[in-house]
Each structure stands twice: as structure tokens, then as C-alpha cells.
Amino acid sequence: MALVRNMKKYWVFYVMMLPGAAFLILNNYIPMLGVLIAFKSVNYEIGMLKSPWVGLDNFQYLFKTTDAWIITRNTILYNAAFIVLNLVVPVAFAIFLNEMRNKFFAKVHQTILFLPYFLSMVVVSYLVYGFLHDTHGFVNTTVMKSFGLEPVQWYFQKEVWPYLLPLVNTWKNVGYYAVIYLAAVIGFDDEYYEAATIDGASKWQQIKSITIPLLVPMMIIMTLLQIGRIFYADFGLFFQVPRESGPLFPVTNVIDTYVYRTFIALGDVGLSSAAGLYQSICGFILVFVSNWVVRRIDKDKALF
Amino acid sequence: MEAVKRRSGPNPFNGVSPVANSLINIFFTIYSLCCILPLVLIVMVSLSNEQDILTMGYSFIPNRIDLTAYEFLLEDWRQILRSYGVTFFVTVVGTLISLIVMSLYAYPISRTDFPQRKFFTFFIFFTMLFNGGLVPWYLVYVQMLELRNNIWALILPLIVSAFFVLIIRTFFQQTIPSAVLESAKIDGAGELRIFFQIVMPLSLPVLATVALFSTLNYWNDWFLSLVFITDDKTLSIQYLMYKTLLNIQFMASNSNAVAAISAAGGVVSYPNETVRMAMAIVGIGPIVFAYPFFQKYFVKGLTVGAVKG
């Protein structure tokens, strides 16, 4: 009865939410039910619903392959490297930008280092290609030559990519994170610094004992939020930048690219959806754990 | 941006030493060059002579400036114009629908007097925690909605972002005084009228920010094309760039210029390397010119409202 009265009073609200709710059901909730595909042996001829249940077969098959271990390792290690770099480099950049005496230069630099953030991964892969192409790339034709070194087939050289990908990722994202940290640094009360100057603290001492300690809570929260997403890789980075070069797969294949390739390229619905569900569940657990930690530090910063 | 300007420092003597200051300046000058030079390389290659590239490789200083690559692309303006058309349509229509749908959802869950507020907040928040993965999501669009090779497949999936909805909701809660809503109601305004005539105009800052993010997402998207587009009619500019990088023959085989010359009995060698990079420049152009404007509002937007579920 209460619900009917409620509907009558707030019907406009329900109408307003209708398009959004319909979208969420289609784009999110039906696929959530769809994870059940991972427990089926899909046969398109008889349809999704009638396809037979196979229990955990797809998962057993997935974890028997070496791929499962490789993609999990790659996803977590790369993301761990990204998290560290996205913490250290932007914080340093923010502090230095803030200390620049010429504010106009600081502004120009800030604008320029934000540029890569606005480029799509397709564009980034062009830029990397311009440097690394084996016969024309700038590195092989100019840099290696001037050092008298033999050209290297970069897209076949899997040893360099574990360094290259974090480099590209940092290059692309440092502007974004630096701006966030810079906004915080600028907001700190000038009185701390005035008092420190009177006490004779040098600028470096001030950075060490005032700026960084004040930034720590924010650094912790930004880091924990990224840890919550450690099972999700940046598909664009791992798909576009190595240009799907087969010999690089051992060091560039992550869960997201694996799910895409097994599904779209190989058409293996069972294996792909099993890997997808594995990712969703691990991701779900990690979001909860990291959020629980964030809550204990700062209730307002927690997601829920 | 604004942020940098504001603090000129209360005490001019409390700064880094001149030496440290110059070191910082030198460092950032080098770093800024690192951000720009990769783009410069692409521009230079696109302006080079194909023969020079084949003998000397990509170089920052072309031996001679040669516009052949752009001439070839100009001959094929149809494909490029078409792709720009697709991207432009997807971006404008997508951003508009997205803004409307998201703010319509955000408003009721911002109203404390709405009893189902908590349920509907959780309903959208949960989508940030768990997702069904690529396969079932793909099947919804391709099998249920049958949107393969349909331009709406490039628009629909990005319409609602739970994160943005929560940002808009927080903004509504914090900025629209409930007294204003109360008095509007007493004056007899309906909820829809309150929403469109009071709430929306008061929320322009957050709506602008979300619109910018959304525009960037649509403009830079190639993933939806990769997954849903298999024919050549609905190629967005990003996807066209992707295909060109993957296989330059894609441009060459669709080239009007090549077709015309061979029809006339001539033999033509398609300048693969330079056309590829010219294609990239044609695709990158707008974003490089728009981004200084964008980033200014981005910086403002990053500080808009905290998000809580």
C-alpha cells in the first residue's frame, strides 16, 4: 500500500530514471546474469539458453593452460608498476611545478605535459611505431646508428617491453595525476611554510617535512583506489601499443586482451567468459578489500 | 591551470634557490619536449618524400618537404570525410543523450525526500563493483539488440557512466539549496519544470565537466568499433587510423588516386609510409587544437564534488 502511495507521489521521478535504469539493465545487469555462460558449453545452433551445463569445465580448462598464470602475472605486475610510477612521478612533478619561480612557465609546462592524456591509444601506438619500426623507425635509423649499434627488431624483442609499457603508461598519465596532486599542494595553508621559514627551514626541508606529509593521506587513497582495480588492465595500452605482435604475447598479454582474443579472434566463448568471470570475481574482492582499508583511513574518501 | 597562478607565495624569500630553480626549469623543458617531439616526428614523416624515408628512415628533419602524401589523401577525401562524419555524429549525439540520461537519473537520487533514493543509488553504484565481462556484454548488443555494424553500437554503450552520475548527484545535493526547491513547489511548479528550469541551469559547471569527459571518450573511442564494426561504412576516424596503421594496404586498396592512374594505364607506387603518417596527422589534428581549451576545464572539473555511494 505504501509503495502504491509512494509511486503516486513520486511517479515523475520514476519516469525520469527510466532511461538510465533501462540502460543499466541492458548494459550491466543482463551481462551480469550472462556470466552463467561461463558454466555452459555454448552451442549457437541450439541457442544460449538450451546449451548444456558443464559445471566448472571451462575453468578447469583455463587454469590448465599456462596462459592463466601468464595473464594474471602480467596484469598484476604491470599494474603494480603503474601504481608505483603513478604515485612517485606525479607527486615529484607536482612539487617541482609548485616550486617553479616563474608561474607562467609552470603553467606552460603543466599544459604541455597534460597533452598525452588527451591522445587516444591509437595515436600513442603511432607515436611508438614512429620510434620503433624496425627498418624506418627513428631509434634504429638514427639513435642506434649514431652509437654504432646494430638495428633491433623492437616488436620481436620481448625483453624491452616490460620497461617500455610502464614508460608509455607514465608518459600518457603523468599529466593527469600531477594536476590532481598539484591542486592539493596549492591548497595547503601558507602559514605552515611561513612558520618554517621563520624557524630557518630550507625549502627542501619544508618539502620533506610539510608538503609530503600533508600529501600522504591523498597518496594513500589514490593508491588504494588503483589497487582495487589491479585485476583490470588498460586494454588499449596492451592491445594497441605492441601492435598485436605474437612474439611479445608472453610479456604483453593481460587478462583483458586474453578475454578479447579468445572470444573475438578464436571464438572460444567458454574459455573467454571463464577468464572474464575470473577477472570480475577477483576484481570484486579487491575493490572490497581496498575500500575497507580506505574506510579505516578516511571515511569520506571511501567509495562506499 | 588557475591553481598554478593563485599562489605566488606570500614570502618572496621563501623559494627554491636560483640554481635549483634553473635545474627544475631545465628538467621540465626537456620533459615538455618529450611530450611534443613524438608528434613532431609524425608530422615530419608525413611531410617527407617516400624515397627519402625508404633510404634514411623516419627523421625529424626531412631531406625535402614533399606533400605527395596529403595529395593522395585529398584524392580519397570521401573516406576521411565519412569517418569524420561518423566520429562527429557519435560524439555530439552521444554526449547530448548521455548528459540528459545521466542527469535525469542523478536528480531523483539526489533528493533526500525520495524514499527509494538508497535503492536506486545502489542500483547504479553496484555496476562500478561488478561486471559481467566482455562475452555476455557483447552478446547483449549483437544478439539481443542486433547492433553489429550499426552506428548506435558506437553510441549506446558509453551513455551512462556510474561514476559521472554519482558526481552529478553529489553536485545537485551540495549546490542546489532545498529552500529553492521548496519555494518552487509552493509556487506550483511540477518536478519536471523544477528540474529543467532551476536544477539544470544551476548545475552548468558540473554538466560542462561531464560533457567534456564524455566528448573526449566518444572522440577517442576505437574499442567499440573494434568489437562491433566489421564493414567499412561505419568507420570512425580513430578506427580508420587503427586500420591504416595495421595495414596500409587498406588505404591503398581503397584509393581513388591509384585506381584513376592505373585506369589511365599508368603505374603508380603508393607512398605507404608517408600516407600512413599523414592519415595520423589528419586524425590527430582536432584534438591537439582543442585540448588547451579542454584541459583548462578538465583541471577545474577534477576538483568538482567528491563521490560517495
Side-chain angles (χ1 to χ4, degrees), chain A residues 29 101 107 111 120 136 280, chain B residues 1 16 58 123 131 238 291:
Chain A
Y29 285 95
R101 289 187 169 197
K107 206 168 149 178
T111 306
S120 79
H136 313 310
S280 297
Chain B
M1 264 352 288
V16 288
Y58 301 156
F123 190 69
N131 71 70
Q238 298 290 336
Y291 108 92

Side-chain angles (χ1 to χ4, degrees), chain A residues 65-79:
Chain A
T65 63
T66 48
D67 288 342
W69 153 245
I70 291 175
I71 56 175
T72 308
R73 178 201 67 188
N74 287 350
T75 308
I76 291 179
L77 285 185
Y78 276 117
N79 274 336

